[in-house]
Amino acid sequence: MEPVMAVAIGLLYAAAIFLMLRRSIVKLVIGLMLLSNAANLLIFTSAGMTRGAPPLIPEGLAAPLGPVADPLPQAVVLTAIVIAFGVLAFAVVLIRRAYEIVKADDLDKMKETDT
């Protein structure tokens, strides 16, 4: 399963970089979101793709029984998802405002309108 995830992560990174190198600001933002999704998958995959029970310790024991899932990568990815959503919301508002002023989503045309 991990080699398949490695290929999927590589494809997401490649697509993200390709989109971020385009001149359209909309494609730039889509590439940014793909990049954050690829990073989240990388964190999950590097933590290990094993199934485990929730990391709960039964009453009266010092350690959980059997293999447990590692909660740290899940917490990091959940935080990254929330931050990525905030960045996406800000970027959508920024794109809308820039399009109202410039009437184009081409980054080269936006550079020419600097005053």
Side-chain angles (χ1 to χ4, degrees):
M1 182 68 172
E2 289 170 353
V4 173
M5 289 300 289
V7 170
I9 292 167
L11 289 174
L12 276 175
Y13 272 119
I17 291 171
F18 176 77
L19 286 174
M20 290 174 69
L21 292 175
R22 302 292 100 200
R23 291 185 351 186
S24 171
I25 195 166
V26 175
K27 291 178 184 175
L28 176 83
V29 171
I30 293 171
L32 185 65
M33 294 313 298
L34 282 178
L35 189 71
S36 79
N37 288 336
N40 291 341
L41 281 177
L42 181 65
I43 292 170
F44 266 141
T45 304
S46 65
M49 300 289 291
T50 58
R51 288 183 179 245
L56 302 174
I57 300 173
E59 195 171 323
L61 295 179
L65 300 172
V68 295
D70 187 9
L72 183 63
Q74 297 174 13
V76 169
V77 168
L78 183 61
T79 304
I81 289 170
V82 171
I83 292 170
F85 182 73
V87 169
L88 175 66
F90 176 73
V92 167
V93 171
L94 185 66
I95 288 171
R96 183 174 178 266
R97 183 70 178 141
Y99 186 77
E100 286 177 359
I101 294 171
V102 181
K103 301 290 188 222
D105 71 338
D106 189 359
L107 290 173
D108 289 338
K109 291 181 182 174
M110 287 184 180
K111 193 176 358 176
E112 294 170 0
T113 60
D114 290 341
T115 56

